[in-house]
Structures are given as structure tokens and as C-alpha cells.
């Protein structure tokens, strides 16, 4: 039983936040493309970013700002142009974006964090962005989370948001989030943007530690296609407006807050994997019996990222050999004789040996998951045990369909 409940409101569910999403003319499609998340007061800020050596200008910008300041008032996100591989001019565009918003909000430019998504190699359409700033700020409201979620998506088929509430010091504390991502998704991080708001009072170092651990159990455990993006950004703000006592070290209250933060991140991570480009179902791999949790997560991530496993799921083929092969190449030592594999409730392998199973029933299980696409019933569950160790881990992905190739073959055309 969790210590929290789901509520409405996304990033504006926590106290002291407003958000907006508008059409600024950045996307050729004419769809919403500029989002703002705004805290009424300075908020403690933490971030996790792409590990790619080819990074978008907003990624380097945010890293610098977080290191120098550790707090923020606003997050500005544009969709349509990634501002990645844009050289010195891309960096200047990032600075100019923050400056343009700061003039309208009348806050320091270094209190603004940035994110971009879209086609790599394309600069932001700066004239359109700058001229839209007054409209964007005017649109910011305590009910603006859905509009912001709509404005950050690209190839996503659905918007993605969540908010949870718990009680600390007999007062409600909330965490909300919105994210985008559908393709170019792979651990460390992946083309995903995720923004989290919280109204707890928490110290800067602890908030960063919490977010990093939450990312390891969520966004770093999803994969759609094995490609890591240039723009991956996860930013979390905590503005203290719940008026609870300050959380400065680990203890019961910190553990409760971190568990809720992790739950928000896992919900968003799964929603991204579920909405993978061309996907028909979500795949969840659960691994037990590993030497430790890190090893279990590594095995799970390898299985869910296997193109052969993903293709078999799309073909509704219960090909357990591909699961076993992926587990074996995950880089974690285990005895083959201890390997156990299960698809839903159907046992496929025990003690390293194949079992007789109802192939028609297993295929029907896969078909049933595809029929529930975009619903919570769409999950294909693969359970793997590799021994008697204490390590457990999960990873999420999606099947690999014909449409994935079509979507990405035509991405810039």
C-alpha cells in the first residue's frame, strides 16, 4: 500500500506553480510548441541530463546554471528545433531565450532553465520565440499543466502527466510531472524531456541525490530503440510552499518524499515507453535473484532493449530463446542452470531447461496486450530469475513494429 494518492493537476498540482503552453510558430505543423513552468518563489533545482558527447545547447546551459546557482524560478521549453549541433550560435540562442523571458518576467536570466526538442541541427526560430514571450507569460496559470504538456511533444501520440500527494508533518506535500518522449529513447538518459515540481522543503544536495536515484529506477530503465538523444533533460524543482519542516538528511520523511518522487518518475518513464514510436504494447521485464539491484536492472534493461525480443513481441511469438540470449549477454554472471523465464502467468523455462507450454495461449497473451494499447492493460510482463541473490530490478520498453521504421524514415521529410 503506497503512502500517497494520485491527484489531478500535473506540474501545477504542487503549491506555488503556474504553467502555460502556446503556439509560437516554431513547429511547421502549427501545433503548440512553447511551454513555461513558473514557480512563485525561488525553488531548489536538480537535474539529470544526457550522457551523449553531442549535447544540445540547453543541456550545457542548464548544467552551468545548476552548478552555479542550484535554484530556479522558471523552465522554458521549445519544441520543433532541438538546438543541438548548432555550434556557437546555438549557445547564443540559448542565452537570448533566457534573457527574453527574464525581461518579461522581471527575474534574473540565470533563474531560468531551458530545454529544447525537435530536429537535430536546427536552430530555434528566435524571432518567433522572442515575440511570443509576453503571450506565454500572460497564459501562465494554476491550471496550465495540460497546455504545457501539449506544447512539449513532438512525435508523441499522447500527452503525459501525473501528480501525487502525501502527508508530511500533517500537511499535504505534492509532486507533479509532465514529460515527452516517443522515439530516440534509451537509458542514460534518452529523447525525453521531463519536468517535475514539488512543494516540499528540501536541501539542494539531498534533492539532487533523490532525483538521481529516482532516474536510475525510472528513466534510465526504459528503451524504445537504443538511441540516446542529444537533448535528454530531467529537471525537478522544490519550492517549499507546503510549509513543512526542512528535509536535509535521509530519514522517514525523506524516504517518503523520495518514494513519491520515484513513483512519479516511474509513471512518466512507463508512459514514454508505452508511447514508443509505432508501439502496440508496453513491455515490462522483472528480474530477481541477481547479485544486487544494479545487476538485476542491467539484465532487465538488456532484455527489454533487445531488438529480437521486441520484434518477437510484436509478432506475438513467445520466443523465450531470445529472452534467454539477451539475459546471457547482459554482462552479469549467473549460472545457466538457475535461469527461469515466465511470460505473464505462463512458465516457459525452469532451471535452465525448456518447458512444455501452450504456445497458442502464450501468443494470445501477447495479442491481448496489443489490443489494450495506451491502456494500463497493455503490458507484456516478462519475469526472469537468475539465481538466489537479493537483487531485483525492472525495465520498460515497447515492441518494435513496421511503423517505427516508417515514422523515422520520414522524420525530416
Amino acid at each position: 500500500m503506497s503512502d500517497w494518492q494520485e491527484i489531478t493537476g500535473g506540474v501545477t498540482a504542487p503549491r506555488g506553480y503556474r504553467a502555460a503552453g502556446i503556439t509560437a510558430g516554431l513547429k511547421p505543423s502549427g501545433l503548440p510548441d512553447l511551454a513555461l513552468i513558473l514557480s512563485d518563489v525561488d525553488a531548489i533545482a536538480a537535474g539529470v541530463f544526457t550522457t551523449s558527447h553531442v549535447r544540445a545547447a540547453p543541456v550545457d546551459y542548464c548544467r552551468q546554471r545548476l552548478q552555479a546557482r542550484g535554484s530556479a524560478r522558471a523552465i522554458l521549453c521549445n519544441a520543433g528545433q532541438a538546438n543541438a549541433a548548432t555550434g556557437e550560435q546555438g549557445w547564443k540562442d540559448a542565452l537570448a531565450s533566457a534573457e527574453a523571458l527574464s525581461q518579461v518576467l522581471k527575474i534574473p536570466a540565470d533563474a531560468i532553465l531551458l530545454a529544447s526538442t525537435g530536429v537535430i541541427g536546427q536552430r530555434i526560430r528566435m524571432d518567433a520565440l522572442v515575440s511570443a514571450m509576453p503571450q506565454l507569460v500572460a497564459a501562465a496559470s494554476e491550471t496550465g499543466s495540460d497546455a504545457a504538456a501539449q506544447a512539449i511533444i513532438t512525435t508523441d501520440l499522447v500527452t503525459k502527466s501525473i501528480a501525487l500527494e502525501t502527508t508530511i508533518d500533517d500537511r499535504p506535500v505534492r509532486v507533479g510531472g509532465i514529460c515527452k518522449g516517443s522515439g530516440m529513447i534509451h537509458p542514460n538518459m534518452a529523447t525525453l524531456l521531463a519536468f517535475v515540481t514539488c512543494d516540499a522543503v528540501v536541501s539542494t544536495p539531498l534533492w539532487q541525490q533523490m532525483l538521481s536515484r529516482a532516474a536510475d529506477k525510472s528513466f534510465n530503465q526504459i528503451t524504445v530503440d537504443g538511441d540516446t538523444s542529444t537533448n535528454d533533460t530531467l529537471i525537478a524543482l522544490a519550492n517549499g510552499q507546503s510549509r513543512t519542516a526542512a528535509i536535509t538528511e535521509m530519514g522517514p520523511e525523506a524516504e517518503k518524499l523520495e518514494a513519491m518522487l520515484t513513483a512519479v518518475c516511474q509513471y512518466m518513464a512507463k508512459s514514454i515507453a508505452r508511447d514508443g514510436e509505432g508501439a502496440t504494447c508496453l513491455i515490462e521485464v522483472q528480474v530477481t535473484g541477481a547479485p544486487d539491484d544494479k545487476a538485476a536492472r542491467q539484465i532487465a534493461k538488456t532484455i527489454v532493449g533487445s531488438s529480437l525480443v521486441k520484434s518477437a513481441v510484436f509478432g506475438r511469438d513467445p520466443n523465450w530463446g531470445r529472452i534467454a540470449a539477451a539475459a546471457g549477454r547482459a554482462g552479469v554472471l549467473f549460472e545457466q542452470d538457475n535461469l527461469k523465464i515466465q511470460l505473464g502467468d505462463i512458465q516457459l523455462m525452469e532451471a535452465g531447461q525448456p518447458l512444455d507450454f501452450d504456445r497458442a495461449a502464450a501468443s494470445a497473451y501477447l495479442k491481448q496486450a496489443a489490443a489494450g494499447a495506451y491502456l494500463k492493460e497493455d503490458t507484456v510482463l516478462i519475469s526472469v530469475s537468475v539465481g538466489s541473490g537479493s537483487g531485483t530490478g525492472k525495465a520498460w520498453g515497447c515492441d518494435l513494429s513496421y511503423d517505427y521504421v516508417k515514422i523515422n524514415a520520414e522524420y525530416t521529410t
Side-chain angles (χ1 to χ4, degrees):
M1 190 73 177
S2 60
D3 291 328
W4 55 80
Q5 62 179 348
E6 185 172 343
I7 58 174
T8 61
V11 290
T12 53
R15 290 170 179 77
Y17 291 97
R18 290 173 285 154
I22 66 169
T23 299
L26 304 177
K27 288 180 181 176
S29 64
L31 294 172
D33 49 25
L34 191 61
L36 171 67
I37 299 171
L38 179 63
S39 174
D40 292 343
V41 299
D42 239 20
I44 298 301
V48 179
F49 304 94
T50 182
T51 58
S52 173
H53 293 297
V54 180
R55 298 182 302 274
V59 169
D60 288 338
Y61 173 91
C62 285
R63 281 175 165 163
Q64 287 190 15
R65 293 295 181 265
L66 290 176
Q67 185 174 10
R69 183 182 175 102
S71 64
R73 282 286 306 278
I75 301 170
L76 174 68
C77 178
N78 73 279
Q81 299 85 45
N83 197 14
T86 47
E88 183 180 353
Q89 188 57 54
W91 177 252
K92 291 179 179 178
D93 289 345
L95 296 177
S97 298
E99 184 60 36
L101 180 58
S102 75
Q103 291 180 8
V104 179
L105 286 175
K106 294 180 172 52
I107 64 173
D110 65 359
I112 297 168
L113 299 176
L114 304 174
S116 297
T117 183
V119 180
I120 294 172
Q122 291 189 0
R123 288 179 54 198
I124 301 170
R125 296 179 180 177
M126 291 302 296
D127 290 347
L129 182 141
V130 171
S131 63
M133 287 302 175
Q135 178 191 353
L136 180 67
V137 172
S141 74
E142 294 179 353
T143 58
S145 181
D146 288 346
Q150 185 69 46
I152 65 175
I153 65 175
T154 49
T155 60
D156 308 55
L157 295 179
V158 294
T159 58
K160 305 166 180 72
S161 66
I162 182 68
L164 301 178
E165 180 182 273
T166 191
T167 301
I168 295 177
D169 290 342
D170 295 323
R171 297 182 64 86
V173 172
R174 298 168 180 169
V175 177
I178 61 173
C179 65
K180 65 84 55 180
S182 185
M184 202 182 282
I185 302 295
H186 192 62
N188 297 319
M189 301 240 306
T191 297
L192 68 85
L193 302 179
F195 308 120
V196 175
T197 58
C198 176
D199 52 18
V201 184
V202 59
S203 68
T204 303
L206 187 58
W207 188 234
Q208 180 63 61
Q209 292 166 18
M210 288 181 175
L211 186 66
S212 296
R213 288 192 291 262
D216 281 342
K217 296 176 182 178
S218 58
F219 295 110
N220 282 337
Q221 288 299 109
I222 61 173
T223 181
V224 168
D225 49 21
D227 277 302
T228 296
S229 169
T230 55
N231 290 59
D232 305 331
T233 297
L234 166 61
I235 295 172
L237 305 180
N239 68 4
Q241 293 303 286
S242 64
R243 307 299 183 187
T244 53
I247 300 174
T248 59
E249 59 185 20
M250 290 307 296
E253 293 172 348
E255 290 172 0
K256 181 185 286 191
L257 179 61
E258 183 172 338
M260 189 165 65
L261 173 64
T262 301
V264 165
C265 289
Q266 286 185 342
Y267 178 94
M268 292 194 292
K270 287 192 283 187
S271 71
I272 289 173
R274 176 176 279 114
D275 192 28
E277 290 173 343
T280 69
C281 62
L282 176 71
I283 303 172
E284 178 174 316
V285 178
Q286 299 180 354
V287 174
T288 59
D292 52 45
D293 289 353
K294 182 178 180 181
R297 291 198 299 266
Q298 186 170 327
I299 296 171
K301 188 164 57 177
T302 303
I303 295 170
V304 84
S306 165
S307 295
L308 291 177
V309 172
K310 291 154 65 69
S311 299
V313 171
F314 175 67
R316 320 311 171 205
D317 177 13
N319 190 338
W320 59 265
R322 294 180 175 182
I323 299 171
R329 66 173 173 83
V332 176
L333 292 176
F334 64 86
E335 292 297 327
Q336 180 174 322
D337 290 345
N338 292 329
L339 187 60
K340 176 181 176 181
I341 299 174
Q342 188 168 311
L343 180 64
D345 294 328
I346 302 170
Q347 196 78 22
L348 308 180
M349 189 180 197
E350 179 75 41
Q353 297 295 316
L355 299 175
D356 290 331
F357 66 95
D358 187 338
R359 294 187 65 86
S363 183
Y365 170 75
L366 297 172
K367 290 177 182 177
Q368 182 181 10
Y374 308 113
L375 302 174
K376 292 181 179 179
E377 295 80 20
D378 69 346
T379 305
V380 169
L381 178 60
I382 298 173
S383 303
V384 176
S385 177
V386 296
S388 57
S390 62
T392 63
K394 296 180 182 180
W396 300 272
C398 60
D399 57 344
L400 186 59
S401 73
Y402 311 130
D403 284 342
Y404 175 83
V405 176
K406 183 178 179 180
I407 290 167
N408 285 283
E410 301 171 354
Y411 187 71
T412 62
T413 56

